[in-house]
Amino acid sequence: GGKTHSLIALHHLFSGVDPSVLPEEITDLINASGVSEIPAVNRAVIVGNRFAAGKSHEKDDGTVVNTLWGEIAWQLGGADAYALIADSDKNRSNPGAGIEQVFAACSPCLVLIDEWVAYARELYARDDLPGGSFDSQFGFAQALTEATRATAGAMLVVSIPASEGASSAED
């Protein structure tokens, strides 16, 4: 669908790639904006229906990630960024202002979250999963948006899927 293409385009746009290799519509937009160079930024991508809430995720460097906030921190800045919110990840609690510390350390940064609702559904009526609780997702959503607003060079894009049963021309 269109939302997936938009997220992929943003991911590539901020990858440090030469803009001339991007699709013509994107290069036209870049040229029209007057920007001569797009810097590479730290990026985190979460696809909620592919990031299991019911298991821990071991990374190549040995870091074990449980939650969305742990995953975002690790993707943005590896073990050093993860360490800023490690306690919150291990005890599955909302990191609060800790995510702002991650953004400050990793700016400029881009966080893309697709299918967050699908992820949160796995947590509904459960409090025993590595991903945290359903309620912790709401607190984290607020902390994430506040951290984005408070951090120069941070951008957050979240896709909210159409409700089940609804039809969409893009799907």
Side-chain angles (χ1 to χ4, degrees), residues 51-59 63-67 71 89-90 92 129-131:
F51 184 76
K55 68 175 205 164
S56 297
H57 306 265
E58 186 168 354
K59 303 303 181 182
T63 302
V64 177
V65 170
N66 297 300
T67 62
E71 181 70 13
D89 181 70
K90 288 172 186 159
R92 306 173 302 125
L129 298 178

mmCIF file of all heavy atoms in Angstrom, residues 51-59 63-67 71 89-90 92 129-131:
data_model
loop_
_atom_site.group_PDB
_atom_site.id
_atom_site.type_symbol
_atom_site.label_atom_id
_atom_site.label_comp_id
_atom_site.label_asym_id
_atom_site.label_seq_id
_atom_site.Cartn_x
_atom_site.Cartn_y
_atom_site.Cartn_z
ATOM 1 N N PHE A 51 7.705 -7.621 14.937
ATOM 2 C CA PHE A 51 8.527 -7.531 16.154
ATOM 3 C C PHE A 51 7.714 -8.150 17.282
ATOM 4 O O PHE A 51 6.805 -7.530 17.823
ATOM 5 C CB PHE A 51 8.881 -6.069 16.455
ATOM 6 C CG PHE A 51 9.804 -5.891 17.631
ATOM 7 C CD1 PHE A 51 11.155 -6.171 17.508
ATOM 8 C CD2 PHE A 51 9.319 -5.463 18.856
ATOM 9 C CE1 PHE A 51 12.010 -6.013 18.594
ATOM 10 C CE2 PHE A 51 10.167 -5.305 19.943
ATOM 11 C CZ PHE A 51 11.515 -5.581 19.808
ATOM 12 N N ALA A 52 8.002 -9.385 17.621
ATOM 13 C CA ALA A 52 7.180 -10.140 18.561
ATOM 14 C C ALA A 52 7.282 -9.594 19.982
ATOM 15 O O ALA A 52 8.378 -9.438 20.516
ATOM 16 C CB ALA A 52 7.587 -11.611 18.533
ATOM 17 N N ALA A 53 6.128 -9.332 20.578
ATOM 18 C CA ALA A 53 6.077 -8.855 21.961
ATOM 19 C C ALA A 53 6.322 -9.987 22.946
ATOM 20 O O ALA A 53 6.660 -9.744 24.098
ATOM 21 C CB ALA A 53 4.714 -8.213 22.238
ATOM 22 N N GLY A 54 6.174 -11.218 22.489
ATOM 23 C CA GLY A 54 6.257 -12.361 23.383
ATOM 24 C C GLY A 54 7.635 -12.971 23.514
ATOM 25 O O GLY A 54 7.778 -14.033 24.110
ATOM 26 N N LYS A 55 8.657 -12.317 22.954
ATOM 27 C CA LYS A 55 10.006 -12.871 23.093
ATOM 28 C C LYS A 55 11.036 -11.760 23.191
ATOM 29 O O LYS A 55 10.801 -10.632 22.772
ATOM 30 C CB LYS A 55 10.342 -13.800 21.928
ATOM 31 C CG LYS A 55 10.499 -13.125 20.593
ATOM 32 C CD LYS A 55 10.946 -14.137 19.547
ATOM 33 C CE LYS A 55 11.692 -13.431 18.426
ATOM 34 N NZ LYS A 55 12.452 -14.317 17.592
ATOM 35 N N SER A 56 12.179 -12.108 23.739
ATOM 36 C CA SER A 56 13.307 -11.184 23.776
ATOM 37 C C SER A 56 14.081 -11.337 22.476
ATOM 38 O O SER A 56 14.028 -12.390 21.835
ATOM 39 C CB SER A 56 14.209 -11.512 24.968
ATOM 40 O OG SER A 56 13.492 -11.333 26.171
ATOM 41 N N HIS A 57 14.772 -10.286 22.081
ATOM 42 C CA HIS A 57 15.482 -10.258 20.801
ATOM 43 C C HIS A 57 16.968 -10.038 21.072
ATOM 44 O O HIS A 57 17.351 -8.956 21.513
ATOM 45 C CB HIS A 57 14.926 -9.136 19.913
ATOM 46 C CG HIS A 57 13.440 -9.218 19.734
ATOM 47 N ND1 HIS A 57 12.856 -9.828 18.658
ATOM 48 C CD2 HIS A 57 12.417 -8.787 20.513
ATOM 49 C CE1 HIS A 57 11.544 -9.763 18.774
ATOM 50 N NE2 HIS A 57 11.243 -9.134 19.894
ATOM 51 N N GLU A 58 17.799 -11.050 20.796
ATOM 52 C CA GLU A 58 19.242 -10.900 21.006
ATOM 53 C C GLU A 58 19.884 -10.324 19.760
ATOM 54 O O GLU A 58 19.674 -10.807 18.647
ATOM 55 C CB GLU A 58 19.904 -12.230 21.371
ATOM 56 C CG GLU A 58 21.372 -12.022 21.722
ATOM 57 C CD GLU A 58 22.026 -13.232 22.380
ATOM 58 O OE1 GLU A 58 21.326 -14.214 22.675
ATOM 59 O OE2 GLU A 58 23.254 -13.163 22.578
ATOM 60 N N LYS A 59 20.691 -9.286 19.946
ATOM 61 C CA LYS A 59 21.371 -8.600 18.856
ATOM 62 C C LYS A 59 22.758 -9.192 18.634
ATOM 63 O O LYS A 59 23.297 -9.890 19.497
ATOM 64 C CB LYS A 59 21.477 -7.096 19.163
ATOM 65 C CG LYS A 59 20.129 -6.439 19.415
ATOM 66 C CD LYS A 59 19.203 -6.633 18.248
ATOM 67 C CE LYS A 59 17.864 -5.980 18.459
ATOM 68 N NZ LYS A 59 16.976 -6.220 17.334
ATOM 69 N N THR A 63 23.485 -7.634 23.032
ATOM 70 C CA THR A 63 22.422 -6.907 23.718
ATOM 71 C C THR A 63 21.119 -7.689 23.569
ATOM 72 O O THR A 63 20.801 -8.163 22.480
ATOM 73 C CB THR A 63 22.243 -5.499 23.103
ATOM 74 O OG1 THR A 63 23.486 -4.793 23.193
ATOM 75 C CG2 THR A 63 21.154 -4.704 23.815
ATOM 76 N N VAL A 64 20.369 -7.812 24.652
ATOM 77 C CA VAL A 64 19.064 -8.460 24.610
ATOM 78 C C VAL A 64 18.008 -7.383 24.788
ATOM 79 O O VAL A 64 18.005 -6.652 25.776
ATOM 80 C CB VAL A 64 18.933 -9.538 25.705
ATOM 81 C CG1 VAL A 64 17.525 -10.146 25.688
ATOM 82 C CG2 VAL A 64 19.978 -10.629 25.500
ATOM 83 N N VAL A 65 17.115 -7.281 23.806
ATOM 84 C CA VAL A 65 16.089 -6.248 23.773
ATOM 85 C C VAL A 65 14.723 -6.893 23.999
ATOM 86 O O VAL A 65 14.425 -7.942 23.425
ATOM 87 C CB VAL A 65 16.127 -5.534 22.397
ATOM 88 C CG1 VAL A 65 14.938 -4.619 22.227
ATOM 89 C CG2 VAL A 65 17.429 -4.763 22.238
ATOM 90 N N ASN A 66 13.892 -6.256 24.823
ATOM 91 C CA ASN A 66 12.559 -6.767 25.128
ATOM 92 C C ASN A 66 11.432 -5.930 24.530
ATOM 93 O O ASN A 66 10.438 -6.465 24.061
ATOM 94 C CB ASN A 66 12.351 -6.817 26.651
ATOM 95 C CG ASN A 66 13.316 -7.766 27.308
ATOM 96 O OD1 ASN A 66 13.329 -8.949 27.020
ATOM 97 N ND2 ASN A 66 14.142 -7.236 28.195
ATOM 98 N N THR A 67 11.572 -4.608 24.590
ATOM 99 C CA THR A 67 10.469 -3.688 24.308
ATOM 100 C C THR A 67 10.707 -2.871 23.040
ATOM 101 O O THR A 67 11.813 -2.837 22.501
ATOM 102 C CB THR A 67 10.315 -2.699 25.477
ATOM 103 O OG1 THR A 67 11.532 -1.936 25.568
ATOM 104 C CG2 THR A 67 10.047 -3.414 26.797
ATOM 105 N N GLU A 71 14.288 -1.572 21.493
ATOM 106 C CA GLU A 71 14.617 -1.787 20.084
ATOM 107 C C GLU A 71 14.948 -0.473 19.388
ATOM 108 O O GLU A 71 15.924 -0.379 18.631
ATOM 109 C CB GLU A 71 13.457 -2.495 19.372
ATOM 110 C CG GLU A 71 13.707 -2.785 17.913
ATOM 111 C CD GLU A 71 14.758 -3.867 17.647
ATOM 112 O OE1 GLU A 71 15.149 -4.594 18.581
ATOM 113 O OE2 GLU A 71 15.193 -3.967 16.481
ATOM 114 N N ASP A 89 13.864 -1.162 29.798
ATOM 115 C CA ASP A 89 13.644 -2.280 28.884
ATOM 116 C C ASP A 89 13.587 -3.594 29.667
ATOM 117 O O ASP A 89 12.723 -4.432 29.415
ATOM 118 C CB ASP A 89 14.741 -2.338 27.824
ATOM 119 C CG ASP A 89 14.533 -3.467 26.835
ATOM 120 O OD1 ASP A 89 13.588 -3.380 26.018
ATOM 121 O OD2 ASP A 89 15.295 -4.452 26.893
ATOM 122 N N LYS A 90 14.490 -3.755 30.610
ATOM 123 C CA LYS A 90 14.545 -5.019 31.366
ATOM 124 C C LYS A 90 13.324 -5.203 32.249
ATOM 125 O O LYS A 90 12.828 -6.323 32.396
ATOM 126 C CB LYS A 90 15.827 -5.077 32.193
ATOM 127 C CG LYS A 90 17.058 -5.288 31.325
ATOM 128 C CD LYS A 90 18.346 -5.161 32.105
ATOM 129 C CE LYS A 90 19.526 -5.232 31.146
ATOM 130 N NZ LYS A 90 20.736 -4.649 31.709
ATOM 131 N N ARG A 92 10.447 -3.726 31.661
ATOM 132 C CA ARG A 92 9.289 -3.572 30.778
ATOM 133 C C ARG A 92 8.415 -2.375 31.149
ATOM 134 O O ARG A 92 7.219 -2.383 30.982
ATOM 135 C CB ARG A 92 8.452 -4.853 30.762
ATOM 136 C CG ARG A 92 9.261 -6.081 30.417
ATOM 137 C CD ARG A 92 8.492 -7.391 30.555
ATOM 138 N NE ARG A 92 7.984 -7.571 31.903
ATOM 139 C CZ ARG A 92 6.709 -7.800 32.200
ATOM 140 N NH1 ARG A 92 5.814 -7.904 31.260
ATOM 141 N NH2 ARG A 92 6.328 -7.939 33.439
ATOM 142 N N LEU A 129 4.551 -10.592 29.304
ATOM 143 C CA LEU A 129 5.347 -10.685 28.084
ATOM 144 C C LEU A 129 6.547 -9.739 28.136
ATOM 145 O O LEU A 129 6.476 -8.669 28.752
ATOM 146 C CB LEU A 129 4.490 -10.351 26.857
ATOM 147 C CG LEU A 129 3.302 -11.286 26.601
ATOM 148 C CD1 LEU A 129 2.509 -10.809 25.393
ATOM 149 C CD2 LEU A 129 3.766 -12.719 26.409
ATOM 150 N N PRO A 130 7.646 -10.111 27.479
ATOM 151 C CA PRO A 130 8.832 -9.235 27.458
ATOM 152 C C PRO A 130 8.540 -7.826 26.943
ATOM 153 O O PRO A 130 9.186 -6.875 27.355
ATOM 154 C CB PRO A 130 9.801 -9.971 26.524
ATOM 155 C CG PRO A 130 9.409 -11.401 26.634
ATOM 156 C CD PRO A 130 7.911 -11.389 26.807
ATOM 157 N N GLY A 131 7.561 -7.691 26.041
ATOM 158 C CA GLY A 131 7.275 -6.392 25.434
ATOM 159 C C GLY A 131 6.631 -5.376 26.345
ATOM 160 O O GLY A 131 6.480 -4.215 25.978
#
